Amino acid sequence: VAIMAEYDALPAIGHACGHNVIATSGAGAGAGLAAVAGTRGLPVPGRVVVIGTPAEEGGAGKVRLMEGGAFRDVDVAMMIHPRCGTQLWRPTLGLTKAKVEYFGKAAHASSWPWRGVNALNGVIGLFNALDAMRQQIRLDARIHGIITVGGQQANIIPEYTAAEFYLRSLDKTYLGELRRRFEAAAEGAATASGCRVQVTFDPIVHDPLKPNFTMLDFFGKNLARIGFPVDPDDGQAGYGSTDAGNVSQALPTIHPYIRISPDGVPGHSRDFAAAAASPLARAGMAAAAKALALTALDLLADPAAVEAAKAEFARS
Amino acid sequence: MTRPAAGSTADVLAAARRLAPELDALSRKIHAHPETAYLEVQAAGWLAEYLSAHGYRVEREAGGVATAFRATLGGDGGPTVALLAEYDALPGVGHGCGHNLIAAAAAGAGAILAAVLGHRPPGRVQVIGTPAEEGGGGKVALLDAGLFRGVDAALMIHPLCRTRMHEDLLGRQQLTVEFSGKPAHASAYPDEGVNALDAMVLHLQGISAMRQQLRSEARVHGIVTHGGDAPNVIPAHTAGVFYVRARDRDYLREVLGRFEACARGAARATGATVKITREAFVYEPMRASRTLTDRFRDHLAAAGVAEDPPAPRPALASSDVGNVSLAVPTIHPWIGILPAGSPDIALHTSDFRDAARTDHAHDRARAAACALALTALDVLTDPACLDAARKEFRLGGASEDPPDSPPVAAAAKPPLGG
């Protein structure tokens, strides 16, 4: 049984995704199990590994670890993620990352503007096209980005601009369609502005999370056993993406959410960063560590349970 | 310059004074009954009757164009000079371009010439009624019909705030752009639609962004003529009409290419398809005859109207007279119709429409008619004048600036550094 620990922060806003809670609940579960094992070993057959998985926020650390063989002997994997409510199952979106570069022609922006080809017009045209496109994409799909190079100096018609985007959707087929339409938007903006465009998709695609209700059932019962309540999902928030999705497509995996904040505090906000160091987060962390440890013991004690989890994985 | 006994400046001015009441009445009648492009039935009729009454042989529906006419004085032998009359109004604004004054000046010059030349003119005078200058390309149709074959020089005036012998007339191409997408219920199944309105909006945004990279005298502008059918349907079809303008034909071609790239890019970005239809004709950039313009300037001064100082910035328009100017030596001077000291008014506004019916405007139109008549007399009776105009025309005119030269106003002060 692998227990995954994330611990990376976000640029500028710190631990606004609360990965410190993932890390300590994972390490806490490991330490708790070690205490149970003492010097004689675990009371059940098998092995528990805690895997430190860096760079969940855009770096796809788990994908690299899988490629490096870190999950080769792992039968099932578990982690928790902090949230503004405790929910056993919420989907995550498949995610593709894209970099778009526009190549124009520099010119003095005041005396010879008509001799330039404005690469910033390319990137603005793309944002305009994506804003317009959003009405015609599925509700679950997301396209969002930032401009990383917006020009060189205000008195130069920009000759080079670059932007980075995430494309997301609940299923990989639709992600493919989004990719095609995104590329068309990028090319259209290039045609309209007279620029050359280069679209580079990150070879790593974050897969959508595949649920394993067999394992979630154990986790839920263990939360109940320690008296930590599961909350109804108000269905208001959209979904994120995680490299745990790729793990879940390779082996039975669970990724339940544990409350660390009051209702309605958005992830990736400064409020959530503050919540991740609050007493509520401490309670969530302790409960999660216990439930993870208990679930690991349940699975190790009952080979049939692991087989059932694997059978569900194979079916779905 | 030589001046024949018949048709001295004094004769011309005297004739103009005699004719003034009927010319003013004609102009005001046209002004009061605005008719838009190719629908100028009354205006063409009134002008034809007027010239007929002054001894002209009038052909109605000249060149097969219902509201065109050609009125001719004199027969074979000698040069042919054409006076061009426009008389179409604008949709909504009426005579906001003051074409009633163009008509009065051309018909007035015709009547003056009939009065001073009698029945044996030393050549041929034609007043050509050219409809539909406002977007319809009436003169292009008349050129195609061969109406300017045998014409040695074409003369017309146009009202403006101030009197200037020259303002660039930009080349202009009209285009229709249509986007087609896929309709869908805009609330229930928006993701199944392809939004043709998005394509149109992106096209306009593309043009807005492009404008920074155009030479300052180039113009791209348009309207959306069909923007969808119902707010709850993802629009499957949109259409717009656009003008692309530039000072020379090469740059017009370049800007047209970039305009069409905006449309294709908008289609590509949205998944819509695009159909671009260029109007069959182009308004060519004006190549005014400097020789004849110089003559006109002198005659206008003799009629009491001096040229105003150059404009602080150019007023850039287009006209189908540009096409005539590529076929025969042509002039298109601008006649100021506003009193000295009054603020300028933009063409195509209701203010300019009102200015085009004042007594002052009609005094100016009469002076313009005198200058047109005197310039026409130069063409008919002064071989040196016509030779110089022909030679200049053969050499390709001199009014086009070399490519990439900054516009006059911008060149006056150097761009800010940094």
Side-chain angles (χ1 to χ4, degrees):
Chain A
V1 173
I3 298 171
M4 296 181 280
E6 297 172 2
Y7 31 79
D8 57 326
L10 288 160
I13 51 176
H15 271 292
C17 206
H19 289 189
N20 58 311
V21 177
I22 306 178
T24 46
S25 59
L33 288 167
V36 169
T39 52
R40 286 171 303 164
L42 286 170
V44 290
R47 203 161 48 141
V48 174
V49 293
V50 178
I51 304 181
T53 61
E56 187 278 327
E57 296 293 350
K62 295 183 192 65
V63 177
R64 289 178 64 181
L65 292 179
M66 282 202 295
E67 283 167 2
F71 286 84
R72 199 172 295 142
D73 299 323
V74 173
D75 293 289
V76 295
M78 308 188 296
M79 66 176 287
I80 62 96
H81 198 289
R83 202 174 176 271
C84 57
T86 299
Q87 282 97 26
L88 296 181
W89 165 246
R90 283 172 59 80
T92 67
L93 305 176
L95 181 154
T96 271
K97 292 199 282 182
K99 179 178 185 181
V100 183
E101 293 164 287
Y102 286 95
F103 302 89
K105 199 172 140 207
H108 194 292
S110 178
S111 51
W112 300 92
W114 62 90
R115 296 286 286 269
V117 175
N118 196 328
L120 187 55
N121 287 350
V123 95
I124 299 290
L126 173 57
F127 272 89
N128 285 336
L130 296 175
D131 288 344
M133 184 196 298
R134 216 164 266 126
Q135 186 187 22
Q136 276 82 230
I137 62 176
R138 266 173 24 185
L139 276 177
D140 60 276
R142 295 281 187 271
I143 301 179
H144 43 89
I146 58 165
I147 298 175
T148 52
V149 181
Q152 288 71 42
Q153 189 161 298
N155 64 353
I156 307 169
I157 299 294
E159 65 173 350
Y160 174 80
T161 56
E164 289 176 7
F165 295 89
Y166 287 2
L167 281 58
R168 313 195 203 217
S169 160
L170 271 179
D171 69 73
K172 286 185 85 172
T173 315
Y174 197 65
L175 203 54
E177 185 182 330
L178 280 185
R179 248 173 94 135
R180 280 190 297 281
R181 288 169 66 178
F182 176 84
E183 246 182 318
E187 287 168 13
T191 304
S193 59
C195 300
R196 188 168 67 78
V197 66
Q198 188 168 323
V199 181
T200 312
F201 288 104
D202 192 323
I204 294 175
V205 173
H206 284 52
D207 290 329
L209 201 61
K210 178 169 165 175
N212 193 289
F213 292 107
T214 309
M215 290 167 65
L216 284 173
D217 206 32
F218 281 105
F219 189 86
K221 282 177 180 149
N222 287 323
L223 278 183
R225 186 185 301 172
I226 61 172
F228 195 82
V230 172
D231 304 308
D233 190 345
D234 64 9
Q236 285 192 17
Y239 305 121
S241 303
T242 171
D243 55 4
N246 299 55
V247 178
S248 79
Q249 299 290 343
L251 61 150
T253 303
I254 61 171
H255 184 272
Y257 292 89
I258 297 292
R259 175 189 290 279
I260 66 156
S261 80
D263 285 347
V265 179
H268 291 202
S269 69
R270 292 190 187 275
D271 287 347
F272 200 75
S278 70
L280 212 50
R282 190 176 185 286
M285 183 260 291
K290 289 175 196 165
L292 284 170
L294 289 167
T295 303
L297 287 172
D298 286 343
L299 292 167
L300 292 176
D302 184 2
V306 175
E307 286 315 309
K310 285 183 172 175
E312 182 190 342
F313 175 83
R315 269 200 315 275
S316 53
Chain B
M1 97 191 69
T2 59
R3 181 126 313 288
S8 69
T9 302
D11 291 343
V12 165
L13 295 179
R17 268 194 300 277
R18 278 198 311 278
L19 294 166
E22 56 192 60
L23 281 173
D24 290 3
L26 184 59
S27 168
R28 289 197 159 95
K29 195 156 65 168
I30 293 171
H31 191 281
H33 297 87
E35 297 166 301
T36 54
Y38 288 124
L39 300 172
E40 317 92 327
V41 179
Q42 294 186 100
W46 293 328
L47 288 161
E49 284 161 20
Y50 180 78
L51 289 160
S52 181
H54 283 271
Y56 280 76
R57 301 186 303 282
V58 178
E59 304 157 68
R60 304 291 297 269
E61 300 186 20
V65 178
T67 54
F69 66 85
R70 177 164 63 180
T72 303
L73 185 75
D76 295 335
T80 298
V81 63
L83 300 159
L84 309 187
E86 296 173 2
Y87 33 81
D88 57 325
L90 291 160
V93 204
H95 274 291
C97 206
H99 289 187
N100 58 306
L101 299 170
I102 303 178
I112 291 167
L113 287 167
V116 300
L117 291 173
H119 298 300
R120 303 281 302 274
R124 210 158 35 164
V125 180
Q126 294 187 325
V127 181
I128 303 183
T130 62
E133 187 278 326
E134 297 292 351
K139 295 184 194 65
V140 184
L142 299 184
L143 275 164
D144 289 346
L147 237 69
F148 287 86
R149 224 171 281 143
V151 170
D152 293 288
L155 316 178
M156 69 174 288
I157 60 98
H158 198 293
L160 194 67
C161 302
R162 306 295 156 208
T163 301
R164 294 199 181 95
M165 291 303 103
H166 185 81
E167 290 275 8
D168 280 338
L169 284 171
L170 301 176
R172 183 181 93 193
Q173 169 79 65
Q174 182 178 321
L175 307 96
T176 304
V177 177
E178 294 163 277
F179 291 103
S180 297
K182 191 177 147 211
H185 192 292
S187 179
Y189 307 104
D191 52 305
E192 289 179 15
V194 174
N195 195 326
L197 185 56
D198 285 348
M200 183 58 78
V201 170
L202 286 183
H203 178 49
L204 287 162
Q205 287 172 344
I207 291 167
S208 300
M210 171 173 75
R211 216 167 263 127
Q212 186 189 20
Q213 276 74 234
L214 293 181
R215 274 159 43 177
S216 28
E217 80 286 357
R219 296 284 185 271
V220 182
H221 44 90
I223 58 166
V224 176
T225 52
H226 189 77
D229 295 299
N232 64 350
V233 181
I234 299 292
H237 184 75
T238 54
V241 179
F242 297 86
Y243 287 178
V244 174
R245 313 194 200 218
R247 195 159 48 183
D248 62 68
R249 299 172 90 174
D250 287 346
Y251 199 59
L252 182 63
R253 199 173 305 124
E254 181 184 329
V255 179
L256 280 167
R258 287 164 67 180
F259 172 89
E260 295 189 356
C262 286
R264 285 199 313 276
R268 176 88 179 104
T270 53
T273 57
V274 64
K275 185 176 165 212
I276 303 168
T277 313
R278 292 192 186 192
E279 182 131 69
F281 56 84
V282 172
Y283 278 21
E284 298 285 357
M286 177 74 186
R287 218 173 65 187
S289 167
R290 208 155 272 200
T291 307
L292 297 176
T293 301
D294 287 346
R295 295 287 181 128
F296 182 91
R297 181 191 291 108
D298 291 344
H299 295 315
L300 188 68
V305 177
E307 186 168 16
D308 287 308
R313 62 180 210 66
L316 297 165
S318 305
S319 168
D320 53 6
V321 76
N323 301 52
V324 178
S325 80
L326 298 188
V328 297
T330 303
I331 65 168
H332 184 271
W334 302 85
I335 303 299
I337 63 166
L338 297 186
S342 63
D344 280 5
I345 297 171
L347 289 175
H348 291 201
T349 59
S350 52
D351 285 346
F352 198 85
R353 175 195 62 206
D354 296 345
R357 66 169 170 229
T358 60
D359 290 346
H360 184 75
H362 285 91
D363 288 348
R364 290 305 176 88
R366 179 153 33 99
C370 293
L372 283 174
L374 289 163
T375 308
L377 285 170
D378 287 344
V379 172
L380 295 175
T381 62
D382 180 357
C385 173
L386 189 53
D387 283 352
R390 282 174 169 157
K391 192 172 169 201
E392 181 198 339
F393 182 79
R394 273 198 307 276
L395 291 175
S399 61
E400 280 190 62
D401 290 320
D404 265 339
S405 69
V408 178
K413 50 181 181 215
L416 297 174

